Each structure stands twice: as C-alpha cells, then as structure tokens.
Amino acid sequence: MGEFVSVETDDHGVATVRIDRAPVNALSPQVFEELHTAARACADDTRIGAVVVWGGPKVFAAGADIKAMRDATFQEFYAQGGGLQESVAALARLPKPVIAAINGYALGGGMEVTLAADFRYAAEDARMGQPEILLGLIPGAGGTQRLPRLVGPARAKELVFGGGQVTAQEALAMGLVDRVFPADEVYERAVEAARRYAAGPYALRMAKQAIDEGLEMDLDSALRLESTLFAATFATEDRRIGFDSFLADGPGKATFRRN
Ligand code: CAA
C-alpha cells in the first residue's frame, strides 16, 4: 500500500496495519498520512472485521520523526490544525475492533497510536512512554487526552511530566496495556484475538460506538445513544442469525455475516 505502512488482510477478515520504517519506525508526516489512508481503507473494506496494528518484531514506533521536525515552526503546526491527531483519530474512529501489538519501544507518537486502539497487547520487552517533555514539547497526537482517560490523570501526568518509560509489566499494572506475552508470541496472540472479533456480528460496531461515544457524553445522553443503537441492532441480518441459532442450537454457535 504505502511506502512505510502496509495493510494485509488474512482469510479470517483480520487486517494487519504494519508500520515499517527502519530503524525505529519514526513517524514522519508521510507515515502519519499513510496511517490515515490505512485506517480509512480498513474502515471501508467490508472483508475486514478486525484490525491489528503492528510495528514488526523489534520496535512499535519511537515517536514522531525528530529529525523531520527539527526546523518546524509554530505556524506550520498551527496551520495543520491537528494534522497528527487526524491520523490517530482515523484509527480510533475505525468502526471495528483494533488491537495494537507492541514489540519494543512505543514512545511519543508511537504510544499515541497504540492509545487509539481498543486493546494493547505488549511483548515482555515492550517499553512505553511519552518522552516529548524531554524535547521541550507536549504530546501532540492525543496523548494528553486519551492517556488520562485510560489510566487516570495522575498516572498520565507522571508519564507526560516526567518523560520516563514504563515496562510492559508496569504498563499492565496501571491499565495502559491489557495483556503481556513473550516477544515472539505477541503478534500471533493479537491476530488470534482479532479473528475472534472478526467472526462477531455487525453489532460489534454498535457496541464500540456506544462505549466510545457514550464515554464522552453525560449519562442520560449516553443511555439514549445506547437505546438507539440497541434498537438499530434489530435492523441487522446478524441479529436474526443470532436469535435463530440460539433457538435451534443454544448459545454461541451462530455463524455471523457481519451485516
Ligand atoms: N525520530 C527520528 N529518529 C529517531 C527517533 C525519532 N523519534 N528515535 C530514534 N531515532 C534514530 C536515532 O537518531 C538513531 O539514528 P542514527 O542511527 O542516524 O543516529 C536511530 O534512530 C537509533 O536510535 P538510538 O541510537 O537512539 O537507539 P537506542 O536503541 O539507543 O534508543 C530510543 C532507542 C529509546 C527509541 C531512542 O532513540 C529515543 O529515545 N528516541 C526518541 C524517542 C522520542 O523522544 N520520541 C518522541 C518524539 S516527539 C513525538 O512523538 C511528538 C508527538 O506526540 C506526535
């Protein structure tokens, strides 16, 4: 697909969005743009039921490309109006389950890409952090917002103010990652989990939307959103398949079509 970001879809409806820019997958403007394109392609392709984002076996991504940003100005970033955020947001808004499989470093913009996923599976040797402060910056691709929503404001501030790194086990303890696996297993385990989601019904989209959008609303509005989406599941073919399968064969046996 792109020069640095590829999308490959397996026979089970799982797309791997692979970042590949040696040596550390630094996220240049082109990489952010390609990530944006990849996220849109995954959203549009009806064969794709779930997505794994992976940086390969050595490193997830060491953040925005510091060399490319060296001479950037306030005016350039201000004019972009959150261009970095847009790529990450396209991933976060993907209406399908997304798992980040993290080997090695996920720092700065790299960690922010993982924060846009529904789940983070980390290798035992993974290291995560928001080191922007050490460069005189703050996170600019969602880190100051998604991180505190995930781990709470105090832990987020520790990471953002201090610029330090956490190990996979520390990340697990604070809820920053959801599972930890040996380094040579993490991608496969993410794909396995993604295959289970890809076999799920169309209602998975509604579940994701209800949780993600509902969290940004007051409770009454969020409950109304849930009611509407609950009703919407009755317009799907998969809802009929699920009910017929339960009544004929009991729970958990349905083969869904994702429509
Ligand atoms: N951008 C560009 N190049 C980078 C880079 C980055 N973010 N991180 C590392 N590199 C380069 C290094 O300059 C080095 O290049 P050369 O071989 O040409 O010298 C090469 O990758 C290997 O790096 P190291 O020699 O430093 O390797 P290491 O194993 O000792 O350390 C590391 C790896 C921990 C990732 C370390 O390089 C590091 O701390 N990198 C910077 C991480 C960082 O600050 N990220 C935040 C960027 S700002 C951001 O992301 C803003 C935002 O919110 C969008």
Side-chain angles (χ1 to χ4, degrees):
M1 193 178 197
E3 187 180 355
F4 303 119
V5 179
S6 60
V7 180
E8 272 189 34
T9 307
D10 71 13
D11 295 338
H12 303 266
V14 172
T16 295
V17 173
R18 169 78 202 271
I19 307 167
D20 188 5
R21 184 174 184 240
V24 292
N25 291 344
L27 305 168
S28 62
Q30 184 181 337
V31 180
F32 273 115
E33 191 49 48
E34 289 185 16
L35 269 173
H36 199 162
T37 305
R40 276 198 306 253
C42 290
D44 291 347
D45 189 335
T46 52
R47 290 171 310 149
I48 296 173
V51 176
V52 174
V53 186
W54 192 42
K58 294 201 181 99
V59 61
F60 186 84
D65 189 330
I66 297 170
K67 291 167 187 165
M69 275 194 305
R70 185 176 186 277
D71 297 318
T73 61
F74 160 77
Q75 283 85 350
E76 279 162 19
F77 274 107
Y78 196 65
Q80 275 180 18
L84 302 181
Q85 286 178 2
E86 279 307 305
S87 307
V88 179
L91 210 55
R93 282 197 295 262
L94 239 162
K96 304 170 184 181
V98 179
I99 303 175
I102 306 160
N103 287 90
Y105 294 109
L107 301 174
M111 174 155 142
E112 290 168 298
V113 169
T114 76
L115 295 175
D118 298 302
F119 309 104
R120 281 147 294 281
Y121 288 6
E124 280 161 357
D125 67 351
R127 293 284 181 280
M128 300 178 70
Q130 298 288 165
E132 289 88 345
I133 209 78
L134 307 177
L135 296 162
L137 306 177
I138 67 169
T144 65
Q145 302 309 310
R146 292 198 178 90
L147 183 59
R149 282 166 170 75
L150 191 63
V151 301
R155 289 201 176 93
K157 285 174 184 169
E158 245 174 43
L159 282 166
V160 172
F161 291 4
Q165 296 174 8
V166 290
T167 64
Q169 285 302 337
E170 288 166 340
L172 183 67
M174 68 169 76
L176 174 55
V177 303
D178 306 289
R179 301 261 199 284
V180 176
F181 296 109
D184 58 352
E185 281 180 27
V186 64
Y187 171 67
E188 292 307 325
R189 300 297 286 265
V191 170
E192 273 169 31
R195 283 180 180 167
R196 288 194 291 277
Y197 290 122
Y202 194 86
L204 270 176
R205 293 171 175 232
M206 284 121 171
K208 179 165 175 169
Q209 186 185 350
I211 292 171
D212 285 351
E213 291 184 15
L215 277 171
E216 303 306 318
M217 296 174 174
D218 65 275
L219 184 58
D220 272 355
S221 309
L223 287 169
R224 277 197 296 279
L225 173 67
E226 183 191 71
S227 288
T228 305
L229 290 168
F230 174 74
T233 59
F234 282 77
T236 66
E237 194 183 343
D238 279 343
R239 195 289 296 185
R240 174 61 64 197
I241 290 171
F243 272 60
D244 287 350
S245 170
F246 175 84
L247 293 171
D249 304 318
K253 306 236 171 46
T255 303
F256 293 112
R257 297 202 186 146
R258 283 205 309 268
N259 58 22

